[in-house]
Structures are given as structure tokens and as C-alpha cells.
């Protein structure tokens, strides 16, 4: 058994608790949460602590807090020379306090409250200062997922930026699409098969080869018609930027 303590009570921490609870290899020793009741439905109440001094010895400590809080939390840990990792995609390995052995245990997925995740498919991006600690992280990751990747801090930052494009920005475009539908009393559900097919296509096609639409075809008549139809200036500006980006694809700028 690998003994783990989690520090944090947000979306990532809660999903990790659920995943670790299902693993036969993992024992959750404790979870740190300033508000114990936040996690009361996920784990035995006596395993939840709100004082760093109450943290017991474990094989691995996972800090699952906001990026801006990682450094301060790692400084407050009242022990040394133990394996301490964070779960951030954007933060460097070196944001962790050097009194402990540092690592990263980054699940590359979007986590929302009350939306269950199949952790067996979640890519686990791992980094550690030495191979011994990496093997610990690898064993933990393999106990909940089948997709394990050794990723250094620079690569992880690149992945995180790419993830913002394919997830956060894409979802914002879904929101805009829904606003347009709502404004004209068209059910947004009509677009869902298209959204699904667009996502599934990249399992067999490179995104550049999967691109379709008026911008790809340089269909200026349709593009101008769309721009005239849009009354929202923000939507219109984004339409122009994305159209230009698609049309510039492959060109030397």
C-alpha cells in the first residue's frame, strides 16, 4: 500500500479522493481542508484535518490547491525530506519548498463539481527530482489511470497552454453558440451532434485536415453574410479573428 495525504478540498482534490478510494494500492491517510464539512461526504470525518501540525507521516503528500497558494502551502508543511507534489499544469516544479523532495502529479482533465470523471482515461503527467520518487508517482498514477506521461515543467506549461485553447476557449465558443441560439429561439440541442462529431473526428484525422467551413473554403459571401447578421460586437470580432487565423493557416506571416 502507498500511503497518501491530500492537501486541498477543491474540484481536483475531490476527484482524486474518489479515484484513490477505488484503488486497492492506495491508502488515504488524511486530507487537509480548512472546512472539514466540505469533504464529509467523501471520506471518514476523522481523516480530515485543518491543522498542518496534525499531518501524519505518509509516502506521498499531494498539494491540490490553487496555483497561487502552492508555494505558501508547501512552506507551511511541518516536515522535511518527504515527497511533496502539486497538481498544477501551469506551475513549475520549483514553486515547491526545497525542504522536501519535489514532484508534480498533474491530471490533464477538466474537473467540474458533481460531474463524474472516468479517471482510467485521464492523462497523468508526472515529474520528480529523482527516479526513485518518480517511480512512487508512477505507481500511484497507474493505480488510477492507464495513461501515464513523464513530462517536465516546460513541456507541462506547453500542454497547459494548449489545453486552454482546446478546452477553455472551445467551451467559451459553445457558450457564444448557445447565446446566438437563445437569441433567435433555436434549441441549442440541435448543435450537439455537430459538437460531438467535431470532437470525435480528431481521433482519426489531424485537426488541420479536419477543418471545414466558410473560412477554410474562403467563402467570402457567406463570411460577410454572417458578419452582417451578428449584432454582438464581441461575437463579430471573434468571428473575424478566427476566420483570419484559419485562412492564414500554413502561410508565412
Amino acid at each position: 500500500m502507498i500511503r497518501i495525504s491530500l492537501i486541498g478540498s477543491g474540484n481536483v482534490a475531490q476527484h482524486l479522493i474518489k479515484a484513490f478510494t477505488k484503488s486497492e494500492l492506495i491508502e488515504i491517510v488524511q486530507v487537509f481542508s480548512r472546512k472539514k464539512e466540505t469533504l464529509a461526504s467523501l471520506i471518514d470525518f476523522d481523516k480530515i484535518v485543518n491543522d498542518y501540525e496534525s499531518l501524519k507521516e505518509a509516502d506521498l503528500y499531494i498539494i491540490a490547491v490553487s496555483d497561487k497558494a502552492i508555494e505558501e502551502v508547501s512552506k507551511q508543511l511541518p516536515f522535511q525530506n518527504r515527497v511533496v507534489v502539486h497538481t498544477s499544469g501551469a506551475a513549475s516544479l520549483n514553486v515547491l519548498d526545497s525542504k522536501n523532495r519535489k514532484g508534480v502529479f498533474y491530471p490533464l482533465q477538466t474537473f467540474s463539481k458533481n460531474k463524474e470523471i472516468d479517471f482510467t482515461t485521464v492523462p497523468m503527467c508526472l515529474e520528480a527530482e529523482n527516479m526513485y520518487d518518480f517511480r512512487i508517482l508512477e505507481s500511484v498514477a497507474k493505480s488510477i489511470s492507464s495513461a501515464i506521461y513523464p513530462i517536465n515543467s516546460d513541456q507541462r506549461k506547453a500542454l497547459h497552454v494548449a489545453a486552454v485553447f482546446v478546452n477553455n476557449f472551445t467551451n467559451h465558443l459553445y457558450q457564444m453558440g448557445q447565446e446566438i441560439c437563445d437569441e433567435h429561439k433555436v434549441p441549442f440541442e440541435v448543435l450537439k451532434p455537430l459538437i460531438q462529431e467535431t470532437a470525435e473526428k480528431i481521433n482519426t484525422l489531424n485537426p488541420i485536415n479536419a477543418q471545414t467551413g466558410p473560412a477554410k473554403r474562403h467563402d467570402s459571401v457567406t463570411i460577410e453574410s454572417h458578419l452582417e447578421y451578428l449584432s454582438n460586437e464581441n461575437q463579430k470580432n471573434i468571428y473575424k479573428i478566427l476566420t483570419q487565423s484559419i485562412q492564414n493557416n500554413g502561410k508565412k506571416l
Side-chain angles (χ1 to χ4, degrees):
M1 297 287 285
I2 299 177
R3 292 163 52 84
I4 290 177
S5 284
L6 273 160
I7 300 166
S9 58
N11 284 334
V12 175
Q14 291 188 29
H15 281 281
L16 284 174
I17 290 170
K18 292 176 183 178
F20 289 149
T21 300
K22 296 175 184 177
S23 172
E24 296 180 356
L25 180 69
I26 305 302
E27 177 190 350
I28 300 178
V29 178
Q30 289 173 311
V31 180
F32 177 94
S33 175
R34 297 195 183 282
K35 296 181 180 179
K36 290 187 175 185
E37 59 274 13
T38 304
L39 302 176
S41 64
L42 296 178
I43 195 167
D44 292 343
F45 198 75
D46 60 359
K47 288 189 174 184
I48 307 172
V49 299
N50 57 11
D51 178 6
Y52 291 117
E53 296 294 335
S54 300
L55 288 171
K56 299 177 181 177
E57 186 170 355
D59 301 309
L60 175 64
Y61 298 83
I62 300 177
I63 298 176
V65 299
S66 66
D67 288 6
K68 63 183 180 182
I70 294 170
E71 184 174 5
E72 184 58 31
V73 169
S74 69
K75 286 179 179 178
Q76 293 186 57
L77 297 179
F79 45 73
Q80 298 179 15
N81 198 33
R82 298 183 190 173
V83 186
V84 177
V85 303
H86 68 65
T87 59
S88 169
S92 165
L93 175 80
N94 293 322
V95 73
L96 293 164
D97 194 280
S98 59
K99 67 186 175 186
N100 284 298
R101 289 139 57 197
K102 299 178 285 188
V104 179
F105 190 83
Y106 171 48
L108 202 170
Q109 187 53 274
T110 175
F111 296 101
S112 297
K113 191 175 182 180
N114 300 323
K115 174 65 172 66
E116 293 298 319
I117 292 288
D118 178 10
F119 240 100
T120 62
T121 64
V122 174
M124 301 301 301
C125 303
L126 312 179
E127 183 178 9
E129 293 181 298
N130 61 70
M131 188 53 65
Y132 178 81
D133 291 344
F134 182 86
R135 294 303 180 203
I136 294 174
L137 299 184
E138 186 178 45
S139 295
V140 173
K142 283 182 176 180
S143 77
I144 59 174
S145 173
S146 59
I148 314 300
Y149 298 90
I151 300 288
N152 64 37
S153 289
D154 184 64
Q155 292 172 321
R156 189 172 59 260
K157 190 168 186 176
L159 266 177
H160 195 259
V161 173
V164 168
F165 274 92
V166 303
N167 172 240
N168 306 133
F169 290 167
T170 301
N171 189 73
H172 186 60
L173 295 177
Y174 294 160
Q175 178 190 334
M176 286 189 169
Q178 183 166 23
E179 289 170 352
I180 293 168
C181 286
D182 291 346
E183 181 183 354
H184 298 281
K185 296 181 173 55
V186 178
F188 181 65
E189 284 68 23
V190 176
L191 291 174
K192 289 184 178 178
L194 176 63
I195 292 170
Q196 189 68 33
E197 175 62 17
T198 302
E200 289 179 354
K201 267 203 298 189
I202 60 168
N203 287 322
T204 55
L205 292 174
N206 186 296
I208 195 169
N209 296 325
Q211 187 69 55
T212 61
K216 171 73 173 180
R217 299 191 302 269
H218 290 262
D219 182 351
S220 58
V221 173
T222 298
I223 292 168
E224 289 304 317
S225 173
H226 287 172
L227 289 171
E228 288 177 11
Y229 188 76
L230 290 171
S231 57
N232 183 296
E233 285 302 314
N234 187 45
Q235 293 171 358
K236 187 175 293 190
N237 288 334
I238 289 176
Y239 187 105
K240 289 178 180 178
I241 290 169
L242 291 178
T243 294
Q244 192 64 58
S245 180
I246 292 169
Q247 292 183 340
N248 288 338
N249 204 11
K251 295 181 180 178
K252 292 184 179 180
L253 302 178

